[in-house]
């Protein structure tokens, strides 16, 4: 090829890059134009009635948005830096006050009949944070005891499947993709805060066992089915649910980053690299299946495929995080896709601050009006964009 065609080609690709850059919405201007929406996204979340997993996920969103230095993506995740994480601890406090005697956090609502084994643990990290970051040290043991009781429940009381996985349900043996966010980041976090490598390994193993049980072949590559019963050895929901895959990816990413920030990382590189490759598997499968409105479909297989801003926000948050943390593994196509998704999600926020359209968190095949987890995912997405941009 002659030099002049090289130049023409270079010029052409520059024009293309600019065109595509515009189409995919530049992350910086997207963030600047929309960060102000966080106030209403956040207040709609805090105004909503919350069940156990919603309380924990809300605390996770607030942690990343308002007390970001203490999140596992932040600068001081396992020790106090002197700042009082008020917003996060307010949510953690209610989770601990509503803990049942078996150790599950956020359970004492609706006659304490919550059948989930792992959902309460979603507030576990925020509660454990109180044990060292609460500036009123007279509460340290209150936080630590609450976190310890939750850890004891999931490790020693919750039923186990035939492979040793912790059941997502309290009175049967079931794998739910949701459990990967609910339970395993807390186990890893507890391991990091107490310098316990056994717990870090347990958190990894639980992710691995859940993936082994739930991974299916989909039209765009392997993705996770939603619910499998180990009691009947059959699927309860074999659908490739966007939110289920989002829970799995957000959970595994947090476990990976937590392990990586401890001194045990030197001995656990293989665990971390497996986790990030499993996160990649989910992003690749879901991002290849976006709807025409640039959202993740509610179900890719096995249910309706309307665009769902909830799983979309969660997976866009994951893409921005991995692009920043693992740039060699995740090229610019991840942030291009994340930018398109984020633009669609942020463009759909209503005047009540609610993400729309979203899957109904209680009826997985229906569009809902308000999803607490979607609100939290949007805060996680804005936090990930802010960190990606180095703001
Ligand atoms: C928490 O986030 C809200 C919404 O963006 C913001 O108005 C508030 O100032 C933040 N508070 C802190 C302590 O960062
Ligand atoms: C680590 O945690 C496990 C599970 O809670 C516990 O059995 C073990 O004693 C802990 N190890 C250390 C060194 O604290
Ligand atoms: C990581 O995954 C590879 C491939 O499946 C497996 O051989 C290896 O044992 C895994 N590492 C750990 C620590 O589980
Ligand atoms: C990004 O590009 C790589 C390399 O071509 C490909 O393997 C991967 O599936 C792509 N992922 C996404 C989300 O576009």
């Amino acid at each position: 090829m002659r030099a002049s065609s090289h130049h023409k080609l270079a010029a052409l690709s520059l024009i293309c890059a600019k065109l595509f850059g515009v189409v995919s919405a530049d992350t910086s201007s997207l963030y600047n134009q929309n960060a102000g929406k966080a106030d209403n996204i956040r207040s709609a979340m805090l105004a909503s009635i919350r069940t156990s997993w919603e309380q924990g996920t809300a605390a996770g969103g607030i942690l990343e948005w308002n007390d970001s230095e203490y999140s596992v993506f932040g600068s001081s995740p396992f020790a106090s830096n002197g700042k009082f994480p008020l917003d996060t601890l307010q949510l953690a406090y209610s989770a601990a006050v509503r803990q049942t005697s078996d150790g599950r956090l956020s359970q004492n609502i609706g006659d304490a009949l919550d059948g989930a084994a792992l959902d309460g643990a979603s507030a576990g990290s925020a509660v454990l944070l109180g044990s060292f970051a609460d500036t009123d040290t007279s509460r340290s043991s209150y936080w630590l005891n609450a976190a310890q009781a939750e850890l004891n429940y999931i490790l020693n009381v919750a039923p186990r499947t035939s492979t040793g996985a912790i059941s997502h349900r309290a009175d049967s043996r079931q794998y739910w993709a949701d459990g990967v966010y609910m339970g395993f980041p807390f186990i890893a976090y507890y391991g990091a805060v107490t310098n316990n490598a056994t717990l870090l390994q347990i958190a990894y193993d639980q992710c691995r066992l859940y993936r082994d049980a739930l991974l299916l072949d989909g039209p765009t590559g392997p993705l996770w089915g939603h619910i499998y019963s180990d009691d009947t050895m059959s699927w309860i929901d074999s659908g490739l649910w966007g939110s289920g895959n989002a829970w799995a990816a957000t959970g595994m990413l947090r476990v990976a980053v937590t392990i990586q920030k401890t001194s045990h990382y030197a001995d656990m590189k293989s665990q971390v690299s497996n986790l990030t490759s499993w996160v990649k598997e989910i992003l690749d499968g879901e991002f290849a299946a976006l709807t025409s409105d640039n959202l993740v479909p509610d179900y890719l297989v096995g249910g309706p495929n309307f665009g769902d801003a909830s799983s979309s926000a969660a997976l866009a948050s994951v893409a921005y995080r991995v692009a920043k943390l693992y740039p060699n593994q995740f090229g610019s196509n991840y942030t291009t896709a994340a930018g398109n998704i984020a633009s669609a999600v942020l463009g759909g926020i209503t005047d009540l601050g609610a993400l729309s359209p979203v899957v109904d968190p209680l009826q997985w095949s229906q569009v809902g009006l308000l999803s607490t987890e979607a609100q939290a995912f949007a805060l996680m997405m804005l936090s990930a964009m802010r960190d990606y941009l180095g703001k």
Side-chain angles (χ1 to χ4, degrees):
M1 198 186 277
R2 284 175 298 120
S4 63
S5 2
H6 267 303
H7 284 132
K8 277 182 194 156
L9 216 75
L12 194 70
S13 57
L14 198 76
I15 292 167
C16 284
K18 286 206 168 137
L19 278 176
F20 282 114
V22 171
V23 173
S24 70
D26 170 64
T27 298
S28 182
S29 56
L30 187 63
Y31 179 82
N32 291 336
Q33 283 159 22
N34 289 284
K37 292 182 181 171
D39 286 2
N40 286 351
I41 293 171
R42 183 179 181 276
S43 56
M45 179 179 82
L46 295 176
S48 69
I49 292 166
R50 293 187 296 278
T51 50
S52 56
W53 83 88
E54 292 168 321
Q55 184 72 9
T57 308
I62 291 284
L63 173 68
E64 285 176 40
W65 183 246
N66 278 133
D67 298 309
S68 59
E69 57 272 73
Y70 288 124
S71 101
V72 295
F73 304 111
S75 55
S76 189
F78 315 132
S80 173
N81 72 351
K83 190 200 153 190
F84 178 50
L86 170 68
D87 299 65
T88 306
L89 292 187
Q90 285 177 329
L91 283 151
Y93 202 41
S94 182
V97 165
R98 295 295 188 96
Q99 184 170 39
T100 42
S101 58
D102 60 10
R104 290 180 295 164
L105 294 162
S106 324
Q107 300 294 306
N108 209 351
I109 47 175
D111 297 327
L113 292 176
D114 189 333
L118 288 177
D119 285 347
S122 60
S125 297
V127 169
L128 185 58
L129 172 67
S131 72
F132 61 84
D134 190 341
T135 43
D136 180 345
T137 51
S138 73
R139 280 188 296 253
S140 301
S141 56
Y142 175 76
W143 295 118
L144 187 60
N145 290 340
Q148 220 161 37
E150 174 61 75
L151 184 73
N152 179 62
Y153 175 83
I154 55 176
L155 292 185
N156 303 318
V157 180
R160 297 280 181 136
T161 70
S162 47
T163 65
I166 303 167
S167 173
H168 187 74
R169 302 296 295 172
D171 50 11
S172 59
R173 284 178 287 260
Q174 294 179 17
Y175 302 87
W176 293 40
D178 318 37
V180 176
Y181 177 88
M182 303 305 156
F184 312 147
F186 167 57
I187 298 175
Y189 190 68
Y190 206 105
V193 170
T194 62
N195 193 26
N196 184 320
T198 308
L199 291 175
L200 298 175
Q201 181 64 35
I202 291 173
Y204 166 76
D205 283 331
Q206 291 298 319
C207 294
R208 179 174 58 78
L209 294 172
Y210 264 64
R211 176 176 171 274
D212 287 348
L214 293 174
L215 199 69
L216 290 171
D217 278 326
T220 56
L223 281 170
W224 293 42
H226 184 198
I227 303 172
Y228 185 82
S229 167
D230 193 63
D231 288 327
T232 63
M233 294 289 174
S234 62
W235 288 94
I236 293 172
D237 180 3
S238 63
L240 305 182
W241 187 41
S243 296
N245 281 277
W247 290 125
T250 50
M252 289 191 293
L253 173 61
R254 281 155 183 75
V255 172
V257 171
T258 303
I259 294 173
Q260 198 170 339
K261 288 195 166 180
T262 70
S263 60
H264 302 286
Y265 176 47
D267 303 322
M268 298 187 76
K269 292 199 165 149
S270 166
Q271 287 85 334
V272 170
S273 88
N274 282 1
L275 288 166
T276 60
S277 73
W278 300 337
V279 167
K280 183 172 185 295
E281 180 175 71
I282 290 176
L283 292 181
D284 288 343
E286 290 289 352
F287 285 5
L290 298 186
T291 62
S292 56
D293 45 3
N294 274 325
L295 293 173
V296 168
D298 180 37
Y299 277 87
L300 210 141
V301 167
N305 65 353
F306 60 82
D308 168 34
S310 180
S311 50
S312 295
L315 289 172
S317 82
V318 171
Y320 280 119
R321 290 290 180 197
V322 294
K324 174 97 176 176
L325 292 165
Y326 311 104
N328 294 334
Q329 195 179 0
F330 296 90
S332 60
N333 55 337
Y334 292 86
T335 44
T336 303
N340 290 331
I341 296 168
S343 174
V345 168
L346 294 165
I349 310 273
T350 72
D351 53 355
L352 284 171
L355 270 69
S356 177
V358 287
V359 59
D360 184 327
L362 304 178
Q363 306 285 339
W364 311 314
S365 295
Q366 290 174 25
V367 177
L369 293 177
L370 175 63
S371 163
T372 309
E373 68 210 36
Q375 302 299 116
F377 291 151
L379 291 181
M380 293 177 193
M381 182 180 79
L382 287 170
S383 306
M385 291 170 84
R386 186 177 60 189
D387 280 357
Y388 175 73
L389 295 167
K391 280 178 186 286

